[in-house]
Amino acid sequence: MKVEEFAKHFEMNVLTSEETLNKEITGMYICDLLSLVMSKAKKGDAWITVHTHLNIVAVALLAELPCIIIPEGISVEEATVNKASEEGVAILSTNKDSFKVACEAGKLL
Amino acid sequence: MKEGIISKEYVIPANDFAVAGEASSNVKKILIQLGVEPQAIKKTAVSMYEAEMNVVIHAGGGRAFVEIDEEKILIKIKDDGPGIPDIDLAMQEGYSTASDEIREKGFGAGMGLPNIKKYSDIFNITSQIGKGTLLEITVFFKVKEFIKI
């Protein structure tokens, strides 16, 4: 499923540019420990994290994750959004918690 | 520069999380362009990023020296930081001296050095108190025929 379709289906706010929405989501990974994300997340996973600093973009790029989902309405720093847009990583925002997002996404992915 | 070798040097700035990871990201792009297989790229990217973050967080910055030939990539990460008093302890998963501020960023869980060891094919670490630390990371490529340097 494309990131754009995923965001629309789950009514998530797209924070990054339109160009970041074309990649394919094939799975999901939830973790706030960056070493573990780099080590364990699979290429194509949508990544749910509460971190919003710039390094999440670097981690998503290295692990080849098409999008980062920020749950619980947590606001994301502008610099992070800009960097993600520049690097082609989508950032989606939702008011739901990680469990709810994963349960819903699990039915589709 | 020897024939058949790509050499790169990167400055890793201290405490600058805005540019942290740029060296490993750049090396990853080079390996993709060379047609290196995904598994070797992942091993290189993870181990180099972890090493880069260690230098940003613990060592007040440093330098990365990268050499790529048809068989492997060799990454040397050198810093002039405080050094590591007990390398065996530092290599244990879960051991960390990172501050709370660093931990709040999702780092400092004591997984950096173990991750580097796990993802590299050859890993050497030497450290001198008050002088700094040198990491040497080698990742071998399996699919050599795609790489034309």
Side-chain angles (χ1 to χ4, degrees):
Chain A
M1 180 182 251
K2 296 263 188 219
V3 175
E4 186 170 18
E5 202 186 332
F6 182 92
K8 264 188 199 151
H9 188 88
F10 295 111
E11 296 174 332
M12 291 183 180
N13 297 318
V14 177
L15 306 185
T16 43
S17 67
E18 228 173 84
E19 289 75 41
T20 62
L21 302 177
N22 278 325
K23 289 180 187 159
E24 199 74 25
I25 296 175
T26 51
M28 182 164 274
Y29 192 77
I30 309 169
C31 186
D32 294 318
L33 188 53
L34 304 185
S35 288
L36 210 54
V37 177
M38 280 188 293
S39 180
K40 303 282 184 185
K42 291 180 189 73
K43 181 181 177 181
D45 281 351
W47 170 31
I48 308 179
T49 179
V50 296
H51 290 303
T52 58
H53 55 81
L54 268 171
N55 294 87
I56 60 172
V57 181
V59 169
L61 274 176
L62 290 174
E64 299 184 55
L65 311 176
C67 86
I68 303 167
I69 300 168
I70 310 293
E72 313 211 33
I74 297 165
S75 62
V76 182
E77 286 117 74
E78 198 184 339
T80 305
V81 172
N82 292 342
K83 180 78 176 168
S85 290
E86 199 181 297
E87 299 285 356
V89 176
I91 299 182
L92 310 178
S93 162
T94 177
N95 287 324
K96 292 171 189 164
D97 63 26
S98 302
F99 178 70
K100 182 94 176 150
V101 173
C103 286
E104 290 178 0
K107 293 170 190 163
L108 276 182
L109 294 173
Chain B
M1 193 171 81
K2 277 190 277 180
E3 201 182 330
I5 291 183
I6 293 175
S7 293
K8 293 272 175 191
E9 188 178 334
Y10 302 91
V11 173
I12 304 170
N15 300 314
D16 189 348
F17 283 87
V19 294
E22 289 211 344
S24 36
S25 180
N26 187 273
V27 167
K28 184 183 174 187
K29 281 175 192 160
I30 293 171
L31 295 183
I32 290 171
Q33 281 168 5
L34 290 171
V36 172
E37 82 269 14
Q39 183 59 18
I41 293 175
K42 170 146 189 174
K43 285 165 70 176
T44 305
V46 171
S47 49
M48 188 171 174
Y49 182 77
E50 291 281 17
E52 213 181 328
M53 291 314 301
N54 275 350
V55 169
V56 171
I57 293 166
H58 297 287
R63 280 175 186 274
F65 305 90
V66 177
E67 279 186 12
I68 305 166
D69 63 29
E70 291 177 356
E71 294 187 329
K72 64 182 184 303
I73 176 165
L74 170 64
I75 302 156
K76 292 182 186 175
I77 309 260
K78 192 180 178 313
D79 68 62
D80 302 316
I84 302 171
D86 186 338
I87 289 178
D88 288 340
L89 187 59
M91 288 304 300
Q92 282 180 23
E93 201 165 305
Y95 177 80
S96 176
T97 57
S99 64
D100 287 346
E101 191 194 344
I102 296 297
R103 288 169 198 263
E104 280 163 16
K105 286 186 158 76
F107 298 103
M111 284 187 69
L113 287 173
N115 249 0
I116 297 169
K117 191 178 179 188
K118 181 178 164 192
Y119 281 95
S120 55
D121 293 317
I122 302 173
F123 173 55
N124 283 311
I125 176 168
T126 47
S127 191
Q128 275 188 290
I129 299 299
K131 288 194 171 172
T133 300
L134 172 68
L135 263 66
E136 292 172 292
I137 298 162
T138 305
V139 174
F140 291 103
F141 309 142
K142 286 195 182 104
V143 190
K144 294 169 195 166
E145 63 264 32
F146 294 127
I147 303 160
K148 289 191 173 52
I149 294 172

